[in-house]
Amino acid sequence: MPACQKVAQRHTSMAEQILILDFGSQYTQLIARRIRELNVYCEIHPFSKVPALTPDIKGVILSGSPCSVRDAGSPDVDLSLFKGKPVLGICYGAQLIAQKTGGNVLPSQIREYGRARLTTVDHHNELLKEISIDSQVWMSHGDTIESIASDYDVIASTPTVKIAAFKKKGQSLFGIQFHPEVTHTLEGKNLLRNFVVHICGCAQDWTPDQFVDATVEALQKKLGNDKVVMALSGGVDSTVAATLVHKAIGKNLYCIFVDNGLLRKNEFEQVLASYKGMGLNIKGVDAREKFYTALRDLSDPEAKRKAIGRTFIEVFDEEAHKITDVKWLGQGTIYPDVIESVSVKGPSVTIKSHHNVGGLPEKMKLKVVEPLNTLFKDEVRLVGKTLQIDPTILGRHPFPGPGLGIRILGDITLEKVRILQEVDYIFIQGLRKHNLYDKVWQAGAMLLPVQAVGVMGDERTYERVVALRAVVSVDGMTADWSHLPYEFLSEMSSEIINKVKGVNRVVYDISSKPPATIEWE
């Protein structure tokens, strides 16, 4: 696997790879994930910024798109750039190939969305080996390829889509109208394997073990005897990144863990203890008062996020300057954070700002090292397992950078933090006790800015409402609410109301993402 290089370029040409060009499809990252599952490295680039096709690029995939190839100004690319490389166009990518090479693309008479069955399959074609007749595929398009040029062959069809897949005669140039990357295409992984392994000739040698060896070697060359400072959070990404850097440079890595007063109950002490067992050179900093001061009277979610981010930078910068001659800032950035997403329908809307240490390099004038910035979250966990990191850390649910600051809706007070820490503790410990923790991707509690009438004993109460949130997901891009047992939720509600002073009502969030987000703020 390749080492990750942020300063000069993200990927050093050390291993073969597949290039994925993004035309704005919601499934583009999923294509990459499926190829990575085949132990083949791949990178996503915008269609408008095609990188130089070096020898290590073994093939090219053109993604889908919400656009129509018939529209003026729709995404386009010069196919001659890929001369000599196998190319696979998926949905919009296939329509683009067809249109640019003499075929015809027209609006579908019936919108083709959902499951379909392949009624004809050319098994002599390498792309479709091990693809069954009547195999289920997933369609998602408003246009149809009505015809292809005479030097192309139709290699698959469905009852309503005559040209479900095609190939140029004598060349490894393919187009498929369906999406092999989604699980609804039952043999989609076989098709991608055929393209990546058999047609492009990739060796499937991109493994966690190889990634660790290559990354540590690259870090040693890059960092030499320089000092690196890193902010740790107790989460998977920062822990794995720090372990890789530590493996490369040992005592020259300095780690800082900041208590912003918005962590989970006992988290500061527990995280410090777990890191000491790993041999990391870590310093804990109690900055709770600074964060509470910065958050005073702030209720707007964006204002709170920015105040927390700004204060973190100030605290971290102050602590880092106590270390002499630091030249590098280590970060646990992962691949979804650095992919340049394509916006084909106007500028993207900011849903919420991300809390990271993005402002630190400029303020501290440090070079950045990001050893994980070519990996997806599940790949980070596999690397962590190879590094023999404690499974309790690798299995830890994601926790937002601003912490409980964005789980307390409205302004932040010490009393609200106390209440939410206690509620969250009961919920998370309950998930662990009932062996539900590992079945949930992320869980937590929200303190709502409302009060409700209740009765305790013979007295009327007017106290706070908390919402419990648990979701299942792969990477957080989409998520469904977790169908926790009613008996468990009933037990949690009773325990929270009985044990946490100030709460008299518990609700459970059954919203999925989209349309909701995982966090409430």
Side-chain angles (χ1 to χ4, degrees), residues 6 10 29 44 46 331 333-341 370 372-375:
K6 170 69 183 252
R10 193 167 68 248
Q29 287 198 29
I44 298 171
Q331 294 190 161
T333 310
I334 62 175
Y335 195 40
D337 300 326
V338 299
I339 294 173
E340 186 177 348
S341 299
E370 297 175 325
L372 303 178
N373 70 355
T374 60
L375 301 186

Side-chain angles (χ1 to χ4, degrees), residues 350-411:
T350 299
I351 305 300
K352 59 181 73 169
S353 61
H354 286 276
H355 175 78
N356 53 37
V357 290
L360 280 170
E362 294 80 8
K363 181 177 178 63
M364 300 176 69
K365 295 181 174 55
L366 296 177
K367 294 180 285 185
V368 177
V369 57
E370 297 175 325
L372 303 178
N373 70 355
T374 60
L375 301 186
F376 288 102
K377 174 72 80 172
D378 52 340
E379 295 170 330
V380 174
R381 287 195 168 99
L382 290 174
V383 169
K385 187 176 180 181
T386 294
L387 291 167
Q388 299 183 322
I389 294 173
D390 189 334
T392 59
I393 294 178
L394 295 180
R396 185 175 186 250
H397 289 176
F399 189 63
L404 301 182
I406 58 168
R407 292 185 176 178
I408 297 172
L409 278 64
D411 66 324

Side-chain angles (χ1 to χ4, degrees), residues 154-281:
V154 177
I155 58 175
S157 304
T158 74
T160 57
V161 181
K162 175 188 172 186
I163 307 173
F166 62 81
K167 177 190 181 295
K168 185 170 185 179
K169 296 175 181 177
Q171 288 188 27
S172 294
L173 178 57
F174 304 87
I176 53 175
Q177 187 62 82
F178 52 91
H179 287 270
E181 69 273 22
V182 302
T183 55
H184 300 299
T185 297
L186 299 183
E187 295 177 328
K189 194 168 183 178
N190 290 347
L191 187 147
L192 290 173
R193 181 187 295 109
N194 288 339
F195 179 72
V196 168
V197 178
H198 301 308
I199 295 170
C200 297
C202 294
Q204 294 183 279
D205 57 1
W206 198 69
T207 64
D209 286 345
Q210 187 182 5
F211 176 84
V212 169
D213 292 342
T215 300
V216 169
E217 181 182 352
L219 287 170
Q220 289 170 336
K221 290 179 180 177
K222 175 194 281 284
L223 302 174
N225 292 317
D226 292 349
K227 292 181 180 178
V228 178
V229 63
M230 283 192 72
L232 297 190
S233 66
V236 177
D237 301 337
S238 65
T239 301
V240 174
T243 304
L244 283 168
V245 176
H246 180 260
K247 195 173 177 67
I249 64 171
K251 59 182 175 51
N252 279 342
L253 171 65
Y254 295 79
C255 300
I256 298 171
F257 180 40
V258 176
D259 185 354
N260 60 9
L262 303 166
L263 302 175
R264 287 175 154 151
K265 182 179 179 180
N266 302 328
E267 186 171 23
F268 186 60
E269 296 78 12
Q270 289 172 354
V271 168
L272 285 176
S274 66
Y275 280 145
K276 284 181 180 176
M278 297 169 62
L280 294 179
N281 178 17

Side-chain angles (χ1 to χ4, degrees), residues 49-67:
K49 297 181 180 179
V50 182
L53 263 66
T54 53
D56 63 319
I57 295 178
K58 299 298 183 182
V60 180
I61 293 178
L62 311 181
S63 84
S65 174
C67 299

Side-chain angles (χ1 to χ4, degrees), residues 261-511:
L262 303 166
L263 302 175
R264 287 175 154 151
K265 182 179 179 180
N266 302 328
E267 186 171 23
F268 186 60
E269 296 78 12
Q270 289 172 354
V271 168
L272 285 176
S274 66
Y275 280 145
K276 284 181 180 176
M278 297 169 62
L280 294 179
N281 178 17
I282 184 167
K283 178 182 180 181
V285 180
D286 182 352
R288 289 175 291 180
E289 291 305 318
K290 289 184 179 180
F291 282 89
Y292 291 147
T293 299
L295 287 165
R296 188 172 295 143
D297 300 326
L298 295 182
S299 296
D300 178 75
E302 278 298 292
K304 290 193 294 184
R305 284 175 175 270
K306 289 176 181 176
I308 293 168
R310 182 174 59 251
T311 307
F312 178 84
I313 289 173
E314 292 171 358
V315 171
F316 187 86
D317 184 47
E318 181 182 338
E319 291 297 325
H321 273 96
K322 296 176 182 177
I323 307 166
T324 59
D325 300 324
V326 173
K327 294 184 179 180
W328 295 86
L329 174 68
Q331 294 190 161
T333 310
I334 62 175
Y335 195 40
D337 300 326
V338 299
I339 294 173
E340 186 177 348
S341 299
V342 172
S343 176
V344 293
K345 298 217 172 184
S348 299
V349 175
T350 299
I351 305 300
K352 59 181 73 169
S353 61
H354 286 276
H355 175 78
N356 53 37
V357 290
L360 280 170
E362 294 80 8
K363 181 177 178 63
M364 300 176 69
K365 295 181 174 55
L366 296 177
K367 294 180 285 185
V368 177
V369 57
E370 297 175 325
L372 303 178
N373 70 355
T374 60
L375 301 186
F376 288 102
K377 174 72 80 172
D378 52 340
E379 295 170 330
V380 174
R381 287 195 168 99
L382 290 174
V383 169
K385 187 176 180 181
T386 294
L387 291 167
Q388 299 183 322
I389 294 173
D390 189 334
T392 59
I393 294 178
L394 295 180
R396 185 175 186 250
H397 289 176
F399 189 63
L404 301 182
I406 58 168
R407 292 185 176 178
I408 297 172
L409 278 64
D411 66 324
I412 310 294
T413 66
L414 282 172
E415 176 64 5
K416 290 180 180 179
V417 172
R418 179 198 68 79
I419 290 173
L420 192 55
Q421 282 180 333
E422 294 297 331
V423 171
D424 177 88
Y425 182 80
I426 291 171
F427 185 34
I428 298 301
Q429 292 304 112
L431 289 169
R432 293 187 187 280
K433 174 185 172 184
H434 290 272
N435 296 318
L436 294 168
Y437 186 85
D438 292 334
K439 298 177 182 178
V440 170
W441 191 77
Q442 184 171 344
M446 317 295 160
L447 183 64
L448 308 188
V450 294
Q451 290 178 278
V453 173
V455 177
M456 288 190 179
D458 294 326
E459 295 185 2
R460 174 186 183 276
T461 62
Y462 191 56
E463 295 180 331
R464 298 191 177 278
V465 181
V466 294
L468 304 183
R469 178 78 157 140
V471 299
V472 290
S473 181
V474 174
D475 51 21
M477 295 176 62
T478 61
D480 192 14
W481 62 278
S482 182
H483 294 231
L484 298 176
Y486 291 149
E487 296 78 10
F488 170 76
L489 292 173
S490 175
E491 180 182 323
M492 291 298 96
S493 177
S494 296
E495 190 171 350
I496 288 167
I497 292 171
N498 287 330
K499 291 184 177 180
V500 183
K501 185 178 179 181
V503 175
N504 71 353
R505 192 174 297 263
V506 176
V507 298
Y508 186 56
D509 184 349
I510 59 169
S511 309

